[in-house]
Amino acid sequence: MFNFLLAFVVSTLAVVPLHLVYGLQLLYCGLISMVLFALLYFWLSRRTMKQVVALMESAQRDLQANRPEKAVATLHQAFRYAPWQFYVKGQVNAQIGTVYYLRREFAKAMPYLEKAFVRHWVAMCMLAVSYMKRNKPAKMRETFDKAAAANRKEPFIWNLYAYCLQQVGDKAKAREVLEKGIKKVGGDERLDDSIKALEQDRRMKMQEYGDIWYQFHLEKPGALIKKQTKALQGRRKMPRV
């Protein structure tokens, strides 16, 4: 925002000396002004985002060192750059909301996730899942639709969307979402498997996505281990003497 305005003002004022002092035609002055605006805005934006990224990387190191409170405090510092650059506020909100959600502090996560940048699909999906858990299926669908529209090539979004629809009992819509996802992604084996699970009235297997799946807290990794252990024990038979 401020970067845009600053670049616009400087590039516009540059027309005056170009025309009055150097005698350039207004057409050429306008072209030079547009080029100057593009270069200046690019430089200002890059400078701002470099500072934001540095704070986010610092917060990431705090998280890796199990200092979540410090990580959130560091991310809050990035809000001061929000007036300078578009989408910074949404990105910072997404990061903070994600940190709280991963720590199961869902009440704290919610207000940040609701203001998250739509292209941050992890935060948007966490928001949609939160609406499902709060028994707000309409808000869940609306949020998933936004996430899928902005990140249509990410197969996990379509699968998670369909999984949540299955959970709320809307199997017809779940199949529709999976079929649409396959078209948008260009084919995906896991989406095909989820359609088969719907046809056979089985629960979709999301464990193949690994950590991406478990971070939504819809299933604990331990639950899968227990299932696998039980299956192995069931196949093992004591040898007869």
Side-chain angles (χ1 to χ4, degrees), residues 1-222:
M1 290 173 276
F2 287 165
N3 285 337
F4 181 90
L5 290 174
L6 182 59
F8 178 78
V9 170
V10 172
S11 59
T12 301
L13 291 177
V15 172
V16 177
L18 289 174
H19 179 62
L20 297 180
V21 178
Y22 296 100
L24 288 179
Q25 295 181 13
L26 287 176
L27 175 62
Y28 295 117
C29 291
L31 292 174
I32 294 172
S33 177
M34 286 190 290
V35 172
L36 179 60
F37 167 79
L39 292 174
L40 185 56
Y41 180 66
F42 174 79
W43 179 78
L44 290 170
S45 301
R46 188 173 181 181
R47 184 185 65 171
T48 300
M49 290 310 300
K50 191 174 181 180
Q51 293 168 318
V52 173
V53 170
L55 287 171
M56 288 186 175
E57 289 176 348
S58 178
Q60 184 64 33
R61 289 192 294 270
D62 288 330
L63 285 174
Q64 292 172 348
N66 197 26
R67 297 190 297 265
E69 294 82 6
K70 186 177 179 182
V72 171
T74 300
L75 288 170
H76 270 283
Q77 295 178 36
F79 278 125
R80 67 174 179 261
Y81 297 108
W84 287 91
Q85 185 61 36
F86 297 110
Y87 307 123
V88 166
K89 188 175 182 180
Q91 292 180 35
V92 176
N93 277 312
Q95 293 291 341
I96 296 175
T98 300
V99 171
Y100 280 132
Y101 188 99
L102 290 172
R103 290 179 55 78
R104 296 180 178 272
E105 298 182 67
F106 303 121
K108 289 184 179 180
M110 200 69 179
Y112 291 101
L113 293 175
E114 287 177 326
K115 293 177 284 188
F117 183 39
V118 70
R119 292 193 65 84
H120 194 299
W121 66 265
V122 172
M124 292 297 290
C125 287
M126 286 179 173
L127 177 60
V129 171
S130 297
Y131 282 134
M132 181 189 73
K133 290 182 176 181
R134 294 186 178 205
N135 197 28
K136 294 181 179 180
K139 293 289 288 183
M140 178 199 78
R141 293 186 185 94
E142 179 185 343
T143 305
F144 268 127
D145 285 338
K146 289 179 181 178
N151 307 273
R152 61 183 181 275
K153 292 295 184 180
E154 177 51 59
F156 180 79
I157 298 175
W158 300 101
N159 216 338
L160 181 62
Y161 188 1
Y163 175 90
C164 291
L165 287 167
Q166 185 185 38
Q167 291 298 104
V168 299
D170 195 347
K171 295 181 181 179
K173 178 65 175 177
R175 183 186 180 94
E176 179 185 326
V177 165
L178 288 169
E179 290 175 345
K180 185 176 180 180
I182 290 171
K183 291 179 181 178
K184 295 294 184 180
V185 173
D188 186 90
E189 185 177 345
R190 285 172 292 193
L191 296 180
D192 289 331
D193 290 341
S194 291
I195 289 180
K196 292 177 184 177
L198 276 176
E199 291 174 343
Q200 298 170 10
D201 201 25
R202 291 186 291 105
R203 190 175 180 178
M204 298 178 197
K205 293 182 179 179
M206 303 292 288
Q207 299 90 348
E208 293 181 5
Y209 288 101
D211 291 339
I212 297 176
W213 159 245
Y214 291 116
Q215 69 182 344
F216 290 92
H217 301 308
L218 290 169
E219 184 178 12
K220 295 180 180 179

